[in-house]
Amino acid sequence: MGTILLHEIVGTAILLLLGGGSVANNILARTKGFGGGWLMVNFGWGLAVFAGVYTAYKTGGHLNPAVTLGIIAHGASEFAPGIAVNVANTAAYLVAQLIGAMIGAFLCWMVYKNHFDAETDPGKILGVFSTGPEIRNPLWNLITETIATFVLVFIVLVFGQTPSGLGPLAVALLVVVIGICLGGPTGYAINPARDLGPRIIHAILPIPNKGGSDWGYAWVPIVGPILGGVIAGVAASLYI
């Protein structure tokens, strides 16, 4: 359990520090990367996954409750070599992922503190920490997140059966293509911890002009990815 906590916390923190940093560099006032565009964010998140998964190699680099729950739904006996699927280990993965996401978001804020302080748009400040829809329709936003996460978890499980040996690079490229192709409506949270942990940090930090944390929408990037991950796990067990 100590291994799970350490590696999933550190790996998820790396994910959020780098992924959140790509968003901050793109949208916050007076950054070097200001206005870099959606593709910069897509590749930033993809490479953040690459770094985070490698960092958490001992636990399989889940970094995402949807992946952990998808593996359970798939019927696996181990989360990673030597780590059994059971209630205690599942709880350790989920807790570690949330803590890691909070730490990563806090570190991202530290890196960009002066730019957060200079930003006057509450939407941009919140957008660094968590996702939000371009057109707010909770049902369809939920469907978008469910489908996008299904694609992530289903293909990750299929990757595990292929002999390519690409490892985290394949997952990184998958995250990039999900962002490019499916991320437009909601910002593709595809990870409950990635959205909830930073949203909590946003609510806590004393950032000028930050506004509210949009808790009314917060359930969508939690429920959608969980549904998508579980459905993907079941589907993969029938497909593979």
Side-chain angles (χ1 to χ4, degrees):
M1 187 172 292
T3 297
I4 295 170
L5 291 171
L6 177 62
H7 280 256
E8 288 291 312
I9 286 173
V10 175
T12 311
I14 292 292
L15 168 66
L16 266 297
L17 169 60
L18 298 178
S22 73
V23 180
N25 198 20
N26 179 44
I27 65 176
L28 291 183
R30 298 167 61 186
T31 64
K32 295 288 188 180
F34 180 76
W38 185 238
L39 285 179
M40 183 177 87
V41 173
N42 297 153
F43 277 96
W45 275 107
L47 294 174
V49 168
F50 180 75
V53 170
Y54 259 129
T55 301
Y57 68 96
K58 284 190 177 181
T59 56
H62 296 191
L63 317 182
N64 182 345
V67 172
T68 302
L69 297 175
I71 289 172
I72 295 172
H74 185 50
S77 60
E78 290 185 321
F79 286 123
I83 302 179
V85 173
N86 58 43
V87 173
N89 286 343
T90 300
Y93 270 95
L94 301 183
V95 169
Q97 290 155 2
L98 181 61
I99 292 172
M102 294 173 69
I103 292 171
F106 179 77
L107 293 174
C108 180
W109 168 75
M110 291 182 68
V111 171
Y112 283 94
K113 181 184 183 304
N114 291 331
H115 299 275
F116 278 112
D117 291 347
E119 182 58 64
T120 58
D121 184 341
K124 289 184 177 181
I125 294 171
L126 179 59
V128 175
F129 290 90
S130 56
T131 61
E134 289 300 302
I135 299 176
R136 187 174 292 256
N137 183 319
L139 174 60
W140 286 104
N141 302 150
L142 180 70
I143 290 171
T144 296
E145 286 291 333
T146 300
I147 293 172
T149 311
F150 174 90
V151 172
L152 171 69
V153 177
F154 181 80
I155 296 178
V156 163
L157 291 171
V158 172
F159 281 164
Q161 306 299 315
T162 63
S164 67
L166 291 175
L169 178 58
V171 181
L173 294 174
L174 175 60
V175 171
V176 171
V177 76
I178 289 172
I180 293 171
C181 300
L182 305 176
T186 61
Y188 72 118
I190 60 175
N191 181 340
R194 170 265 175 274
D195 197 271
L196 178 59
R199 199 181 296 268
I200 292 170
I201 294 300
H202 175 272
I204 293 172
L205 286 174
I207 305 172
N209 305 310
K210 71 175 183 178
S213 301
D214 196 9
W215 290 108
Y217 178 77
W219 67 274
V220 173
I222 296 173
V223 176
I226 289 174
L227 287 174
V230 171
I231 295 169
V234 173
S237 68
L238 300 173
Y239 180 81
I240 297 173

